[in-house]
Amino acid sequence: MKVGFIGLGNMGSAIARSLIKTGETVTVYNRTRSRAEPFASLGARIAETPSEAASDVEVLITMLADDAAVEAVILAPGNAIQELPAGAVHISMSTISVGLSRHLAKAHSERQQHYVAAPVFGRPDVAAAGKLFVVAAGSAEQIGRCQPLFDAIGQKTFIAGEEAHAANVIKLAGNFLLTTVIESLGEAFALGRKFGVDPHAFLDILTNSLFDAPVYRNYGSMIASDKFEPAGFKLPLGFKDNRLLLAAAEEAAVPMPLASLIHDRFVAALAQGLGESDWAAIAHVSYESAGLRKGVAK
């Protein structure tokens, strides 16, 4: 299958490598060309522009940071949507707004192209192992067409229906739930530390009893150590997802008070200079609020 791939950040690079390993014919594009150059030695062709990456392909995949980045490479004059062949499919794996996902579906349909929203759950190390969870929504026929690609990058594909934006709602809601886990762990660890409980012993008890799940083990380990770098998913990206969630909730008239609280945690974390940290660093705000620094009372 001829595949164009746009966006070679930590997640995108890992996904693109998995596709190349399966023998797909891949053309890659990244705004910073140096991120794309290593892919030439893997057998990929390097495109100079988004439109070049989209021309003469059956599938175009985007994995970009936010709405603005997706709009810039897909919808801006002279970019990918104008060169993507009729009948080709755009798979958007980015975490984007519900509104933009709707707009992309309409824009592609008007040009006799197809659109599938397929955001993923998993961090860069999971992507590198080809073990992502893919949430796909759109035409059942087009999802079936793309399934070999999803199989190459993920351990399971969940079908979310014919309306593409449903996958984006699920992705935003899932990320929201992750932030509630991070927030609750931060508060619980802050309480334990104020009473002299060893955080790693606390983590061992939690994850070998009530909370035996990877999300508690992985984020709990970071919070117990109060170590949030290097970042697997940078805090500003998590903040962006929180804002997209709140915008969708406002549109649908769904009160989400916990999401609003976590919004303020992100603001506080950024104010404390944690912009280069993993999004789990919102837990550090609980430590600061409790008068703790690196587990020691100030």
Side-chain angles (χ1 to χ4, degrees):
M1 193 177 292
K2 293 181 180 179
V3 178
F5 197 100
I6 298 178
L8 298 171
N10 291 338
M11 289 290 290
S13 291
I15 292 170
R17 285 190 176 92
S18 293
L19 294 173
I20 293 168
K21 286 177 184 176
T22 63
E24 309 298 345
T25 302
V26 180
T27 299
V28 298
Y29 169 79
N30 195 70
R31 183 178 60 180
T32 304
R33 183 184 168 88
S34 60
R35 294 297 298 262
E37 287 173 349
F39 287 85
S41 64
L42 301 177
R45 185 171 73 89
I46 300 176
E48 298 296 331
T49 64
S51 59
E52 184 183 343
S55 64
D56 192 32
V57 299
E58 298 164 81
V59 176
L60 177 67
I61 299 174
T62 51
M63 175 54 98
L64 296 158
D66 53 28
D67 281 27
V70 174
E71 289 175 341
V73 301
I74 298 295
L75 301 173
N79 276 332
I81 197 168
Q82 295 181 341
E83 293 297 327
L84 189 66
V89 57
H90 171 204
I91 304 174
S92 172
M93 292 189 167
S94 309
T95 304
I96 58 173
S97 69
V98 174
L100 178 57
S101 192
R102 288 189 183 122
H103 182 54
L104 287 169
K106 183 174 184 292
H108 284 299
S109 177
E110 289 172 351
R111 300 186 71 91
Q112 288 76 55
Q113 300 158 353
H114 303 287
Y115 173 69
V116 170
V120 298
F121 287 118
R123 291 166 70 88
D125 58 331
V126 177
K131 297 295 185 182
L132 294 167
F133 292 103
V134 180
V135 181
S139 158
E141 179 182 355
Q142 296 305 316
I143 292 173
R145 174 186 180 186
C146 299
Q147 190 62 57
L149 303 180
F150 299 149
D151 291 342
I153 69 170
Q155 58 181 296
K156 186 170 184 177
T157 300
F158 298 91
I159 309 302
E162 294 274 336
E163 296 293 335
H165 66 268
N168 303 102
V169 173
I170 292 168
K171 171 62 174 176
L172 292 173
N175 278 11
F176 160 67
L177 289 171
L178 288 175
T179 60
T180 64
V181 170
I182 293 167
E183 171 65 21
S184 60
L185 283 170
E187 293 181 22
F189 275 85
L191 176 66
R193 281 179 150 163
K194 285 303 288 275
F195 279 94
V197 175
D198 178 86
H200 295 284
F202 186 32
L203 175 64
D204 183 65
I205 293 167
L206 292 177
T207 56
N208 286 290
S209 58
L210 298 175
F211 302 101
D212 184 11
V215 63
Y216 287 97
R217 292 183 181 279
N218 296 337
Y219 286 115
S221 178
M222 297 170 70
I223 294 166
S225 300
D226 199 17
K227 187 176 185 298
F228 305 105
E229 296 179 18
F233 185 61
K234 284 191 176 181
L235 191 141
L237 292 175
F239 187 29
K240 176 265 298 183
D241 293 353
N242 174 267
R243 296 197 305 272
L244 295 181
L245 174 88
L246 286 169
E250 182 175 336
E251 176 190 333
V254 177
M256 299 189 75
L258 281 179
S260 296
L261 181 151
I262 290 164
H263 174 276
D264 289 348
R265 291 301 205 202
F266 276 116
V267 172
L270 289 170
Q272 292 175 19
L274 298 174
E276 293 298 313
S277 300
D278 194 273
W279 70 334
I282 61 170
H284 186 77
V285 177
S286 292
Y287 293 165
E288 290 284 342
S289 298
L292 295 165
R293 188 184 299 278
K294 293 294 182 183
V296 179
K298 295 179 182 178

